Amino acid sequence: MAITRQTMTDEQRKSVALEYLKAYDNGGVTSTGGSILDLFAGDAQVYFPKWGLANGKDEIGKLFGEVGSRGKSIRHDYAGFNWIFTGTDLFACEGTSYGEHADGPWRAGVPEWGAGRWCDVFEVRDFLIQRCFIYLDPDYAGKDTARYPWLAGKTPDKG
């Protein structure tokens, strides 16, 4: 845990999270041309479903490389974000996304039960992401239906 040195407003924390999301959409490159990893503290943690917990920039880079290698493109729908602030360094962002995965395209709401809706819980301090826990369905192609009785026989194109 880093020692807090700079007081931040919610809007400043939000700007760090937005820079991260936009860098993710831009193949890991920030608006200034730097690496997405520059937005993280050295001892940061990132959680991604079906991958697990990455500790530190090296593991976070591995997580992003492995998860990102399955996607061809992603876009977050920035205009529809819901920001939930707690009055501390911890806050959440809920939103939707669309793009193309190695197994095909996806869009939030198409079908309604498919991938594309997500919620990230951030901890931002000293203008760096200390923690980012990502909550979403990583089955972007919508192929994991056999294990769920309510989805048996459904496909992404048939809802």
Side-chain angles (χ1 to χ4, degrees):
M1 180 177 188
I3 297 172
T4 302
R5 297 193 176 121
Q6 297 179 14
T7 302
M8 294 182 68
T9 66
D10 287 343
E11 283 302 309
Q12 289 170 321
R13 287 184 195 89
K14 178 179 170 179
S15 72
V16 173
L18 277 170
E19 181 70 15
Y20 155 77
L21 292 164
K22 289 179 179 183
Y24 204 90
D25 288 358
N26 194 35
V29 179
T30 67
S31 63
T32 60
S35 167
I36 195 170
L37 295 176
D38 296 341
L39 301 173
F40 289 86
D43 61 348
Q45 291 185 315
V46 174
Y47 169 79
F48 191 89
K50 303 292 188 210
W51 196 96
L53 187 62
N55 292 292
K57 286 186 179 185
D58 288 344
E59 284 187 18
I60 294 168
K62 181 178 179 188
L63 181 158
F64 287 162
E66 290 178 358
V67 170
S69 72
R70 300 289 298 144
K72 294 181 180 179
S73 67
I74 183 171
R75 283 287 175 255
H76 291 88
D77 298 311
Y78 302 100
F81 285 179
N82 291 313
W83 297 93
I84 302 99
F85 292 99
T86 65
T88 70
D89 297 337
L90 195 67
F91 62 98
C93 180
E94 174 188 62
T96 59
S97 63
Y98 63 94
E100 188 167 355
H101 188 264
D103 296 325
W106 91 89
R107 177 176 291 281
V110 183
E112 195 57 48
W113 55 265
R117 297 185 190 282
W118 54 269
C119 183
D120 290 354
V121 177
F122 292 95
E123 184 177 345
V124 176
R125 192 171 45 257
D126 297 327
F127 294 90
L128 293 172
I129 299 169
Q130 309 291 322
R131 178 179 175 273
C132 176
F133 278 36
I134 302 163
Y135 299 100
L136 52 71
D137 181 357
D139 179 26
Y140 292 103
K143 294 185 176 191
D144 189 15
T145 58
R147 297 185 307 140
Y148 303 97
W150 58 90
L151 293 178
K154 292 188 177 185
T155 62
D157 57 347
K158 294 182 181 176

